Amino acid sequence: MRRRVLSLISALACAGAVALGTPSPAGAAAPEPETVPIDLLLAGSYAEPVREAMRIWNTSVPVIRFVEQSTPASLRVKEYTTATGTGSHVYVNGLGRGWVYLETGDAQVYRPTRVAVHELGHILSLPDLGPGSPCSKVMSGGWAGPECVNTQPDAEEISEVAAFFAAHDVGDPVPGWPPPSDD
């Protein structure tokens, strides 16, 4: 936690220097991102959309870094099919940990990368927004309708994830989800 606080202070100092037009302290490095190991061993047809979603979050929120690994990770992605054909969801087992379940039918209705960005948003602490939420929010999910193809988190969503990671570490509890278990 001390490392996270020092990284946050360093990042804020550098951001403040940029905003004021003053040079950064000599040798000041950007804080190291928090690594979120993820495997796509069971992702099936969603593997490439999830890789794109990882790139989107990695670019949008520099304090986190999804890193794909070729062995089971504490964050796993699984493609599955149900009789209803929809129902992508997550099981959050602490910040940056758990399972992302991507329904094959959702890829027929919604843009697969948007589905993946939305579900990874939950893993990063963001809640669903619910009916009436705008397409500009990736956490609007299916409520924004199938015509919504936006895959980019907006400034508020980015800020919320960055702030949560500044105050928490991978594995910490996420509000709205059960406490992490050892499984």
Side-chain angles (χ1 to χ4, degrees):
M1 184 63 146
R2 185 167 192 256
R3 178 182 68 83
R4 312 268 306 117
V5 171
L6 292 174
S7 292
L8 178 61
I9 291 169
S10 173
L12 291 173
C14 290
V18 169
L20 294 173
T22 57
S24 299
E32 285 295 315
E34 185 79 18
T35 300
V36 179
I38 183 172
D39 81 68
L40 306 181
L41 300 170
L42 305 171
S45 66
Y46 271 101
E48 282 309 312
V50 172
R51 286 185 183 106
E52 180 61 22
M54 291 164 50
R55 283 190 288 276
I56 288 167
W57 281 114
N58 287 350
T59 301
S60 299
V61 186
V63 297
I64 60 115
R65 180 77 41 214
F66 283 107
V67 177
E68 184 179 352
Q69 63 182 53
S70 58
T71 58
S74 56
L75 176 56
R76 307 204 64 197
V77 177
K78 182 176 182 174
E79 176 185 75
Y80 77 108
T81 303
T82 65
T84 61
T86 59
S88 294
H89 63 284
V90 297
Y91 163 67
V92 177
N93 191 28
L95 184 60
R97 294 183 177 163
W99 281 87
V100 175
Y101 297 99
L102 299 168
E103 207 331 314
T104 56
D106 281 339
Q108 306 307 309
V109 178
Y110 305 102
R111 186 172 183 184
T113 299
R114 179 174 168 81
V115 174
V117 169
H118 173 88
E119 298 305 341
L120 288 179
H122 289 308
I123 295 294
L124 299 175
S125 78
L126 297 175
D128 279 324
L129 296 178
S133 52
C135 178
S136 61
K137 302 268 189 194
V138 293
M139 297 314 293
S140 64
W143 286 295
E147 65 281 354
C148 181
V149 295
N150 171 43
T151 60
Q152 302 299 313
D154 72 5
E156 184 178 11
E157 291 167 319
I158 291 167
S159 177
E160 287 176 33
V161 171
F164 200 81
F165 267 85
H168 298 88
D169 294 313
V170 169
D172 283 354
V174 176
W177 298 94
S181 66
D182 291 334
D183 58 340

